[in-house]
């Protein structure tokens, strides 16, 4: 079986190259969400370039669309398009590889980036699956800063109302957003209590740990009669001490010295993962 943790470090390096080449990108959130995406695409979801038009495929929406670089890296690793093309063309004039998900690209279900839209749309996708008698599952990843959007909670209520047990939401709980700490910008208190009060099945994990990610997604598939949310406690900028837990790396391009150190840290992380 492929070492997903080692793979995640390689994909993080691809993201760094993408952002340097494109001269911009949401680097911190890319690093925190990468393990969630790798687990979903390589272990959990029924989705590939071969079945991307199959009505029974699983659906994924990157609601925190500003972390598109991580999604591009994962989709490229799955074979949807060449990573070399992504790195070369990212954020260039006329490119389809823009700074938020673009459904003109294979493997992307919807355009996103206006925060608060992913979950409500996924409620519709999951409800359609129920109405059509299909057994596909629907997943969306949201940022914790995004949860200040009221449309999220309308979706939360609707998902409970329609008992959408084919829907799984993931919160990338890295506790930082562009303006600083989420608890200073719009305090969340206990996410577990909030989602639970809306009738969702709640699972709280370390979102950068593959054993916990696998167990959480496997558990979500067994839940009947209610949607599931995974509160994935992650580290923003995960993989390099230069970036970790620093709000300034929400959107930033590393200079040459920072680039060298980040790549060194990521390679060391990969080597450690290979020897675990």
């Amino acid at each position: 079986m492929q070492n997903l943790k080692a793979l995640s470090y390689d994909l993080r390096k691809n993201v760094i190259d993408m952002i340097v080449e494109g001269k911009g990108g949401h680097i911190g959130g890319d690093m925190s969400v990468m393990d969630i995406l790798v687990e979903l695409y390589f272990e959990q979801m029924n989705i590939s370039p071969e079945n991307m038009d199959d009505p029974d495929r699983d659906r994924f929406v990157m609601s925190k669309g500003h972390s598109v670089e991580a999604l591009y890296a994962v989709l490229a690793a799955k074979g949807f398009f060449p990573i070399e093309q992504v790195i070369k063309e990212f954020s260039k004039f006329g490119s389809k590889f823009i700074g938020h998900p673009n459904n003109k690209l294979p493997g992307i279900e919807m355009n996103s980036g206006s925060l608060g839209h992913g979950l409500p749309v996924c409620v519709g996708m999951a409800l359609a699956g129920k109405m059509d008698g299909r057994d596909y599952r629907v997943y969306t990843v949201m940022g914790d800063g995004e949860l200040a959007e009221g449309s999220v909670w309308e979706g939360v209520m609707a998902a409970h109302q329609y008992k959408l047990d084919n829907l799984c939401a993931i919160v990338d709980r890295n506790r930082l957003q562009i303006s600083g700490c989420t608890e200073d910008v719009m305090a969340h208190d206990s996410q577990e209590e909030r989602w639970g009060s809306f009738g969702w099945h709640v699972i709280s994990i370390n979102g950068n740990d593959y054993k916990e990610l696998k167990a959480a997604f496997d558990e979500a598939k067994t839940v009947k009669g209610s949607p599931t949310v995974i509160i994935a406690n992650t580290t923003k900028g995960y993989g390099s001490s230069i970036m970790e837990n620093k709000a300034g790396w929400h959107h930033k391009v590393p200079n040459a010295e920072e680039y060298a150190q980040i790549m060194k840290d990521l390679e060391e992380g990969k080597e450690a993962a290979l020897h675990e």
Side-chain angles (χ1 to χ4, degrees), residues 91-264:
S91 277
K92 300 293 176 63
F93 181 76
S95 172
K96 293 181 179 179
F97 298 101
I98 57 178
H100 288 86
N102 168 24
N103 65 5
K104 292 184 173 61
L105 290 168
I108 295 181
E109 297 284 351
M110 68 169 278
N111 295 357
S112 60
S114 295
L115 298 176
H117 291 187
L119 181 62
V121 170
C122 284
V123 167
M125 291 178 176
L127 184 57
K130 292 284 189 182
M131 294 173 70
D132 292 344
R134 300 193 179 278
D135 61 0
Y136 64 75
R137 292 186 62 76
V138 182
Y139 297 88
T140 185
V141 171
M142 298 173 287
D144 50 3
E146 179 178 1
L147 301 185
E149 297 284 354
S151 52
V152 169
W153 301 102
E154 293 179 44
V156 168
M157 288 188 288
H160 169 67
Q161 175 70 25
Y162 295 111
K163 298 179 172 59
L164 299 180
D165 50 20
N166 57 344
L167 173 63
C168 180
I170 307 99
V171 176
D172 182 15
R173 185 79 167 106
N174 61 35
R175 291 176 168 78
L176 289 172
Q177 58 192 95
I178 192 168
S179 303
C181 177
T182 54
E183 304 315 294
D184 295 331
V185 178
M186 187 66 70
H188 288 177
D189 306 310
S190 169
Q191 280 296 329
E192 291 78 7
E193 290 181 10
R194 287 196 179 192
W195 288 82
S197 71
F198 282 94
W200 283 55
H201 180 72
V202 181
I203 307 170
S204 185
I205 62 166
N206 176 350
N208 296 123
D209 183 295
Y210 280 91
K211 289 182 180 178
E212 293 192 29
L213 282 164
K214 183 180 187 309
F217 284 119
D218 288 349
E219 178 182 330
K221 291 176 181 177
T222 70
V223 175
K224 301 301 178 186
S226 65
T228 294
V229 61
I230 297 172
I231 309 298
N233 295 284
T234 62
T235 299
K236 194 149 188 171
Y238 185 88
S240 174
S241 60
I242 287 180
M243 300 184 291
E244 288 184 352
N245 287 318
K246 296 176 182 175
W249 284 89
H250 178 83
H251 185 283
K252 185 175 179 178
V253 180
N255 60 32
E257 183 180 349
E258 291 166 336
Y259 175 90
Q261 184 61 53
I262 291 168
M263 288 302 205
K264 179 176 181 291

Side-chain angles (χ1 to χ4, degrees), residues 70-87:
L71 179 60
Y72 287 158
V74 171
L75 289 174
K78 281 288 288 187
F80 284 93
F81 33 71
I83 188 59
E84 296 81 9
Q85 181 185 11
V86 184
I87 292 171

